[in-house]
Amino acid sequence: MKRLVSTLAAASLLFAAAPALADDPPPPLPDNGLARTPPMGWNSWNRFGCNVDETLIKRMADAMVSSGMKDAGYDYVVIDDCWHGERDARGDIQPDPRRFPSGMKALGHYIHAKGLKFGIYSDAGLKTCAGRPGSRGYEYQDARQYAAWGVDYLKYDWCMAGTQDAPSSYYIMSAALQATGRDIVFSICEWGGSKPWLWGAGVGNLWRTTGDIYDAWEGVKGYSLGMLNILDKQAELHPYARPGHWNDPDMLEVGNGGMTTQEYRAHFSLWAMLAAPLIAGNDIGHMDADTKAILTNKEVIAIDQDPLGVQARRVSRQGDLEVWARPLKGGGRAVVLLNRGAAPAEVRVDWSMLDYPATLSGRVRDLWAGKDLGPRKGGYAAQVAPHGVVMVTVSP
Ligand code: GLA
């Protein structure tokens, strides 16, 4: 009898440990505890592309502090593609010695000394999108190297990945990062092809949901999408965002010159509504007053960083006029009235769209005007500029 019981116990253990089927997702990794609110920082790609070197990165770290961006909450300084040199005789990845002659450890020190964090970029395939060495087959070795350099954030791209399975490829690097024992935010950049919102939370802290953004209000250019085209692809993804794990509609274009101030204000407001990572992609060392005012609007940033971590839903859509809303900690709501059209228009939100009683008298505050508008019964309507937004909070 005793033997039968222990045989059964052994069999059930075996059964429990049966290998997963090939198309099962890998089991989730332990949560790394990072990015409880969406990460904020700066990344080199949108403005500088492959033209990165240590002088630029130091200048951007300096500017992060002197411009007030750091005080507004931005802390990650992320070098995107093209920092890489060759692997050395042991296979350890090295930076391009002409672009980064002082080495990555020294650069990490420089960034950390300013109270900022250091981010870097690699790729799950054989090569990065710009043809630099990828991490495939070197995941643990690269993770160890990044940790030795003091890296705090890894953006991990998806070029030259051939027939690789995306969840497994990202899982390997995530496990490698965790094995270093260093806190490293893991940014999955797979462009949405294998629906990373379904598996990303078990693997990383944020996941790109689309192809690349380009600096335009609307449009499609190959794999790249204008701001509104990306927005539309986020509308159904709100159930997947939560503290530690965010949909990533790509980096900001604010200040890069392709949109008007009105349009950039809309871009920034909508990204805040989406609980998107706020990663500036402009030259923060040379910002005009409008760009700086947008990127450092603390009330709008507070919506992005709301601790409840609930991504906005589109609660109304009538032609070019839309209302986006998200609940905030403490029972309030953030609301964006969006006018996609070319003529000014009135846009209205009814409190019933926000899951409030229709008869509620809600206190309204305009976040771009920085003004309390007082209690409003039933809802709020505002005149919205073409390609513009009005962004308010509502408190019951
Ligand atoms: C891909 C990514 C971009 C950027 C480039 C770099 O296109 O989606 O964000 O990192 O690669 O080559």
Side-chain angles (χ1 to χ4, degrees):
M1 184 61 184
K2 218 168 162 197
R3 171 171 294 175
L4 178 65
V5 169
S6 58
T7 312
L8 281 175
S12 69
L13 262 182
L14 257 181
F15 182 71
L21 296 172
D23 55 359
D24 280 353
L29 285 162
D31 193 321
N32 64 11
L34 304 173
R36 304 329 286 176
T37 60
M40 295 176 63
W42 173 87
N43 172 299
S44 53
W45 185 254
N46 282 357
R47 172 67 178 79
F48 296 100
C50 256
N51 294 319
V52 288
D53 59 30
E54 63 185 40
T55 311
L56 172 79
I57 301 305
K58 286 180 174 174
R59 184 163 74 76
M60 292 299 114
D62 295 348
M64 193 97 115
V65 178
S66 62
S67 65
M69 298 267 295
K70 180 182 176 219
D71 286 342
Y74 297 84
D75 53 2
Y76 290 98
V77 176
V78 184
I79 316 174
D80 207 281
D81 210 343
C82 304
W83 60 264
H84 320 66
E86 300 299 321
R87 293 186 182 280
D88 68 11
R90 289 189 314 188
D92 287 340
I93 188 69
Q94 303 299 323
D96 181 328
R98 284 167 305 113
R99 294 166 185 262
F100 295 91
S102 313
M104 290 311 199
K105 196 164 187 167
L107 189 54
H109 276 310
Y110 187 91
I111 292 170
H112 289 146
K114 302 203 161 272
L116 301 170
K117 293 178 179 155
F118 180 23
I120 213 164
Y121 161 100
S122 187
D123 189 287
L126 290 171
K127 285 189 172 138
T128 72
C129 296
R132 306 309 198 268
S135 289
R136 178 171 169 178
Y138 292 92
E139 292 88 353
Y140 280 79
Q141 201 169 348
D142 285 356
R144 192 182 56 193
Q145 180 77 313
Y146 304 151
W149 289 342
V151 163
D152 308 295
Y153 183 110
L154 176 67
K155 172 177 170 183
Y156 204 48
D157 214 341
W158 190 234
C159 274
M160 290 280 291
T163 58
Q164 281 174 237
D165 172 61
S168 318
S169 300
Y170 283 91
Y171 184 94
I172 294 170
M173 183 48 102
S174 187
L177 293 174
Q178 292 204 6
T180 68
R182 191 175 168 84
D183 281 345
I184 302 177
V185 168
F186 189 41
S187 157
I188 297 169
C189 179
E190 179 273 354
W191 318 316
S194 65
K195 301 197 167 87
W197 44 90
L198 297 179
W199 51 265
V203 179
N205 301 107
L206 54 153
W207 49 87
R208 280 273 299 278
T209 55
T210 66
D212 293 0
I213 192 168
Y214 77 99
D215 188 13
W217 175 250
E218 192 164 20
V220 180
K221 256 194 339 197
Y223 289 116
S224 300
L225 303 171
M227 191 275 289
L228 284 184
N229 302 70
I230 290 191
L231 175 73
D232 288 337
K233 291 183 183 289
Q234 314 309 310
E236 306 308 322
L237 299 182
H238 54 90
Y240 305 104
R242 56 182 184 276
H245 311 284
W246 310 101
N247 291 303
D248 175 5
D250 206 359
M251 303 172 291
L252 297 163
E253 291 286 8
V254 177
N256 279 336
M259 294 187 238
T260 65
T261 298
Q262 196 71 251
E263 291 172 338
Y264 281 139
R265 216 175 274 136
H267 173 24
F268 195 70
S269 305
L270 289 160
W271 262 230
M273 293 298 285
L274 294 172
L278 294 181
I279 309 290
N282 59 315
D283 181 351
I284 58 175
H286 293 107
M287 286 193 276
D288 60 25
D290 284 343
T291 301
K292 197 189 283 192
I294 293 171
L295 289 174
T296 60
N297 183 317
K298 292 193 179 165
E299 293 191 62
V300 175
I301 291 172
I303 302 304
D304 180 75
Q305 299 286 302
D306 184 74
L308 204 56
V310 175
Q311 177 174 328
R313 288 182 303 131
R314 179 157 49 196
V315 296
S316 158
R317 184 177 204 184
Q318 292 181 0
D320 284 333
L321 310 180
E322 298 182 359
V323 180
W324 291 72
R326 63 180 282 191
L328 302 174
K329 190 169 177 209
R333 305 282 190 267
V335 177
V336 157
L337 310 176
L338 168 66
N339 178 3
R340 304 165 71 120
E346 189 183 271
V347 186
R348 180 180 168 83
V349 54
D350 294 316
W351 295 163
S352 57
M353 294 175 190
L354 309 180
D355 295 325
Y356 283 148
T359 53
L360 175 87
S361 185
R363 280 176 294 120
V364 177
R365 180 171 173 81
D366 183 322
L367 303 189
W368 288 109
K371 252 204 209 140
D372 286 326
L373 304 178
R376 303 288 171 120
K377 223 178 155 177
Y380 173 68
Q383 200 50 31
V384 185
H387 291 194
V389 294
V390 166
M391 183 169 187
V392 299
T393 51
V394 185
S395 317

